Amino acid sequence: AVREFLKEFDIPGLLFIPQDISDGIDSCCFTWEVDLNLGETSRRIKGISFYEFRDGKVVFVRDIPEPAIKPPPVQALAAAIRPG
């Protein structure tokens, strides 16, 4: 069901690459990468998604991409306040 659902969101110029997909019946998680197709210096965005199913259809989606800023701002702030 996940692969069929993802086919509906094919965006020209973006390459969405599902990686590890769990085999749940009512829900599943999977990791992914997106290639923004911005040239060789462009990095891929990674993330994880949770999908819930009812009657063979996707009814809930939660996507969590990795932070675009490395390290994430809150982590950098915490490290500055309490190093080590």
Side-chain angles (χ1 to χ4, degrees), residues 26-80:
D26 295 330
S27 62
C28 78
C29 266
F30 65 97
T31 56
W32 46 264
E33 287 185 350
V34 173
D35 185 343
L36 301 175
N37 207 13
L38 298 174
E40 290 184 24
T41 59
S42 175
R43 67 180 186 86
R44 290 183 172 182
I45 305 296
K46 295 180 181 183
I48 188 167
S49 293
F50 171 81
Y51 282 30
E52 184 178 346
F53 310 100
R54 266 192 220 119
D55 301 321
K57 296 189 185 219
V58 175
V59 295
F60 180 81
V61 174
R62 176 73 65 200
D63 294 322
I64 304 170
E66 70 180 351
I69 300 170
K70 303 288 184 182
V74 174
Q75 179 182 350
L77 178 61

